[in-house]
Amino acid sequence: MSYQNELYQQVILDHNKNPRNFREIEGSAHHCLGHNPLCGDKIAVFLDLDDVGVIQDISFNGSGCAISKASASLMTSFLKGKSVDEARVIFTQFHKMILGELDPEKDENLLGKLKIFVGVRDFPSRTKCATIAWHTLKCALDKEGEVVTD
Ligand code: ZN
C-alpha cells in the first residue's frame, strides 16, 4: 500500500471511530438533510453563522458509511471559523478534486488536509459518499430542506 493510501485509510478509520462535531446545533437557522440512496448515507448538517457570514459553529449527525462520516467530520472541523464565501470556494474545489478535474498537488487550492480524499476519485462508486456532506452543507447555506444526490 502506498503512503498516500495508508494515510487515507488511517484518517477514515480515525474520523469514523471518533467523528468530530457529531451533534445537532439546537435552533440552528441553517440546516439540511442529505441522502445518498446509492449507499444509504443520511447526513444532516447544522450551521451557526455570525452577522458577517463567518461560520461560528458547524456540526453534523446521521448515519452512513465510514467514508461519508469521515468526510463530514473532516469538513466540519476544517470549515469552522471560515467565511461562507470561503466555504463555497472550498466546496467547489473539493468537488472538482473528487471528480478528477482538480489536481490538489498542482492546481492552486485551499483544500489543506481535505486533500486526503483525492484517492476517492479512483473509486467512482464512492464519490457520492465523499461528497454527500458537502452537498448538504451547500443546501444548508442556500436554504433549508433536503438534498438527494443522484
Ligand atoms: Zn456511503
Side-chain angles (χ1 to χ4, degrees):
M1 207 171 3
S2 72
Y3 169 74
Q4 191 69 27
N5 252 325
E6 204 170 312
L7 189 63
Y8 170 72
Q9 298 287 350
Q10 275 176 15
V11 170
I12 299 282
L13 285 174
D14 173 41
H15 280 264
N16 184 47
K17 212 168 147 194
N18 302 300
R20 322 299 197 262
N21 309 303
F22 189 74
R23 61 192 155 79
E24 183 175 336
I25 298 173
E26 294 271 340
S28 160
H30 301 270
H31 55 91
C32 192
L33 176 66
H35 183 203
N36 169 19
L38 276 179
C39 176
D41 310 315
K42 283 187 180 165
I43 303 279
V45 172
F46 305 87
L47 285 167
D48 242 348
L49 306 177
D50 69 10
D51 35 354
V52 290
V54 172
I55 298 171
Q56 293 295 314
D57 199 5
I58 175 168
S59 70
F60 78 103
N61 66 12
S63 60
C65 66
I67 294 176
S68 66
K69 269 173 77 180
S71 179
S73 174
L74 266 159
M75 178 188 83
T76 53
S77 44
F78 194 72
L79 294 183
K80 200 181 282 189
K82 294 204 165 41
S83 71
V84 169
D85 290 344
E86 283 175 301
R88 288 185 193 277
V89 171
I90 295 165
F91 166 85
T92 304
Q93 293 179 345
F94 185 82
H95 202 225
K96 280 187 172 170
M97 176 180 74
I98 298 291
L99 295 175
E101 295 168 6
L102 181 149
D103 182 338
E105 300 306 329
K106 285 192 199 137
D107 304 322
E108 204 177 313
N109 65 79
L110 305 170
L111 294 170
K113 63 184 175 180
L114 301 172
K115 286 179 195 169
I116 194 79
F117 282 95
V118 69
V120 175
R121 67 185 175 192
D122 298 329
F123 303 93
S125 64
R126 310 313 299 272
T127 57
K128 294 276 162 43
C129 301
T131 56
I132 182 66
W134 289 87
H135 287 291
T136 310
L137 166 80
K138 193 163 182 293
C139 167
L141 288 173
D142 293 340
K143 58 176 170 33
E144 281 187 37
E146 284 195 34
V147 62
V148 178
T149 60
D150 55 21

